[in-house]
Amino acid sequence: MASPSLISRLYKDLAELHESPYPGVAIFIDDSNLRKFCLVLTPPSGPWKNLSLHFDVVLPEDWPTSPPQVSSSVDGIDHPNLFGSYVCCDLLKTKEHIYRGGGYTGGYSPALTLRGLFLQFLTFFSSTKIDQDYGYTIDVGDSAIVHYVMQLDPQHLAGHKGMHRCATCDRRSSSGQLDLQQQWEQNTNPATVLHEYDTEIGPLFETVKSSGPGTRIHRIEERNYRWDATYDSIRYWRCRYCPYGTDAVPHCVGPNPQIVMEQAHYNLDESSSLFMPQATCHLDQLNDDVLYEIALRLPSESLLNFSVAYPRLHNIVQSMHILLQRELRCFFLRTPLPESILGIGVALDFRSRNLSSDFDWLSQRAFVEFGVRESVEKREFGFFLPLAFSRAHFERAYPHIWSRLAELDAAVQKAENQMSRNPRRRAPGPAQRRELVGVVYRMMNNIVVSLMKSCDTVLNSGNSSKTLLHASEKAVVAYCHLFHLLICLCRSESKILLDATNRLRRFIDRKDTRVKTHVPDLGELIILIMLVLCRPPVGGGPPIKWSDLAGPFLEEVIVRNVRWVLKDAPHLEIMEQGASDYRLAETFLRSQTSLRLVSFQITFLDVFIKAYGADISRLDDNYGFPEKELPVLMVEKVKDIYKIDTWPAFFARVRFARGVGFGKERFSDMLRDAMKTSATRRYHYPAPVSRLPALRAQKKAAEEAFAEPK
């Protein structure tokens, strides 16, 4: 017996098929079993145009975990992926049954609704090219196939009458047809229609062009032979589910019942009252509450069309976030936000301690009861984290959030202890809630790091801004939802914000609190900074500002970069006196990836403070989604970041005004001091005395090469 939750999902999918019908798709359900029905596809294009193709569909008991079982109702459909009744299609296969190499995200997904699956099926049978395994494609041709014949004799012409396939043309080589096609296309003489034939796929023509005295080229359109072969196989077949035709009348050609219904509905005479001008719009007599109730009950496609036609309804839909609410439903059970504890699946890379998510909305019930452990994009995860979305949802999910954060925190700590040479130390005993939110800090920082890697790939490959915008939008949405969760947790647990504020004050005032044992990850510190700057001040003392933090933060960035600079340029350990253009340029070059990441992190901080610092409640109004302009703004900021090639430009980007004014001598001294600090803290180990002569020679040669005119 299927779970009530899965039965509810089935009713939702069937209701969607009924409420949002699509031309070319129809289903007929078995009266005795909702899980068995006939699917009728009528392709609008391709070799099977206007043919009604019948499929038997059976939903297994564990659907949507397992894909529907779909088989062709009749043998003989001339399709390269149909073998008798068996349909070979990735949409009907789980990941375990498909091998396409790493990164392939095709195949069945529980996120596919029945309507979405059948629409993809319709596209599958409407295509002229069918992708196959191992990377090749079969060209099945369009509904009409064109042949070219030079100087056809009357007997040959007669063979084409009625649009039957011509054996003589079949024997003509493809290269010969290509030559004739090119001659036809290059011929500037007008084409004359010799014959027009009305067929089930529309009118087909035989046209001719003169190409010289006594020479003519005929262009002959014929119905695709796959159409004829399929028609011959199904023309007198009768479906046991649907009332399609009789044994005496071919039923396989023409629009399906859904299309007939739509045509009958809109086939109105111009004298109909619907075409009469109306003196008033009766919708104006309805108040906003009634329109809101109507909007709630309309399918999304109808609501979108209605909103375009009636601006007042559009304003209600926008102000009440109706369409946004509809996005917030579990991709597996399709339960909406008010009926779910909704969140995301989270994956932990044990070796790197990286936390990631595809941010597909998943319910806790789907995670716990049905064991969903794979995202829509086929990426596995092992943990679940509820999100805030609305205040009502946050209150309902609140105790579950802490228990899920505790699970994630325990897993991260285990990975730290086993995989890190210098694991983050904790006081013995259960983790405090101010420590558990470190999971959220880590996830937000991982999002920024992942975005920078994506941008590196996109910009280095020369891809379009559209790809960059997609990566930015995905990152900003994920970041914003986690930030909203963090804000909501701070509202309920004031100690979180107080702890973050105190940590930042110590960071500003005491250099010994900036070391890695106190601040393991500067990217996560950025999240604390943003949290404190966006919330009202807590604790004693004046409010913290970025101008107070920028200097200590960037000084620590440069100190921690020393290790990586010396890895690529060990000769920089040899100190010089005064200003050094070479040290400035070489340190920047060797730090560029790190500085770029810092620029990304501070850009997120800057963008989110400007968007929400004055009114954090806007996150509640938007269900944790970012403002529409933020992803576009982030793309422009990203492009600016990749133009940075000097220290002053970097300091300007991260809003460190004092740094922009540093002279060469002063900043060279600071870089040398950073090397000394790094050695003192054991971030790197100085070169042995025996290596110093070689490093001096290496540095001298590098400085001389740098000084040469470019």
Side-chain angles (χ1 to χ4, degrees), residues 201-213:
I201 62 171
L204 299 176
F205 300 91
E206 179 185 341
T207 51
V208 65
K209 284 184 180 180
S210 174
S211 59

Side-chain angles (χ1 to χ4, degrees), residues 122-170:
L122 183 64
T123 301
F124 184 60
F125 285 95
S126 302
S127 299
T128 60
K129 299 181 188 300
I130 311 296
D131 292 333
Q132 302 293 296
D133 290 337
Y134 309 110
Y136 71 96
T137 299
I138 294 179
D139 189 340
V140 294
D142 210 333
S143 55
I145 294 179
V146 176
H147 293 294
Y148 296 89
V149 181
M150 180 70 76
Q151 294 181 328
L152 290 176
D153 57 62
Q155 187 176 358
H156 191 168
L157 284 172
H160 288 275
K161 200 167 185 179
M163 294 298 121
H164 294 296
R165 190 163 169 78
C166 175
T168 303
C169 290
D170 287 348

Side-chain angles (χ1 to χ4, degrees), residues 302-529:
S302 299
L303 184 58
L304 285 169
N305 293 331
F306 196 173
S307 298
V308 171
Y310 192 52
R312 185 171 154 228
L313 181 69
H314 172 79
N315 294 335
I316 293 172
V317 170
Q318 291 294 313
S319 63
M320 302 304 292
H321 305 284
I322 295 175
L323 291 172
L324 197 60
Q325 292 179 52
R326 293 185 182 184
E327 290 183 29
L328 296 174
R329 59 177 64 238
C330 172
F331 76 80
F332 183 84
L333 294 174
R334 297 192 69 201
T335 47
L337 184 67
E339 301 172 16
S340 310
I341 293 175
L342 212 58
I344 53 175
V346 180
L348 169 64
D349 185 320
F350 199 81
R351 181 175 295 275
S352 67
R353 284 87 71 200
N354 182 64
L355 291 169
S356 61
S357 173
D358 281 353
F359 277 79
D360 302 320
W361 313 132
L362 180 70
S363 65
Q364 184 164 261
R365 173 173 288 179
F367 181 83
V368 174
E369 185 177 338
F370 299 100
V372 178
R373 295 294 186 275
E374 191 175 83
S375 73
V376 175
E377 294 296 316
K378 309 294 189 301
R379 283 183 276 268
E380 295 181 355
F381 52 80
F383 301 91
F384 175 75
L385 178 63
L387 295 178
F389 296 116
S390 65
R391 293 203 179 198
H393 179 266
F394 176 74
E395 291 172 4
R396 190 167 68 252
Y398 184 71
H400 302 281
I401 292 172
W402 286 117
S403 62
R404 295 297 178 182
L405 284 174
E407 291 174 5
L408 278 162
D409 178 74
V412 170
Q413 287 304 308
K414 182 179 179 181
E416 281 279 346
N417 293 333
Q418 293 186 20
M419 305 305 299
S420 176
R421 286 183 294 181
N422 298 297
R424 304 183 187 188
R425 301 299 179 186
R426 283 267 187 90
Q432 302 296 309
R433 287 188 169 180
R434 59 181 174 78
E435 295 173 319
L436 295 182
V437 295
V439 169
V440 184
Y441 303 153
R442 184 185 288 260
M443 288 187 68
M444 293 174 72
N445 184 46
N446 290 162
I447 287 168
V448 179
V449 174
S450 179
L451 175 62
M452 194 191 83
K453 291 179 179 177
S454 298
C455 291
D456 283 342
T457 302
V458 171
L459 293 173
N460 290 334
S461 63
N463 284 339
S464 65
S465 296
K466 187 176 181 181
T467 307
L468 195 62
L469 178 59
H470 176 73
S472 171
E473 184 173 25
K474 187 176 180 181
V476 169
V477 168
Y479 196 91
C480 197
H481 276 293
L482 290 174
F483 182 51
H484 186 217
L485 174 62
L486 199 54
I487 292 294
C488 291
L489 290 173
C490 285
R491 287 175 183 154
S492 300
E493 295 285 333
S494 59
K495 290 182 179 179
I496 296 174
L497 188 58
L498 181 60
D499 175 69
T501 303
N502 291 336
R503 287 174 63 182
L504 293 183
R505 292 195 190 282
R506 291 194 296 270
F507 187 89
I508 294 169
D509 298 336
R510 295 170 46 191
K511 282 193 174 185
D512 63 309
T513 64
R514 302 174 194 169
V515 297
K516 289 184 178 180
T517 52
H518 291 283
V519 185
D521 193 300
L522 292 175
E524 294 176 26
L525 184 70
I526 287 285
I527 314 301
L528 269 75
I529 295 172

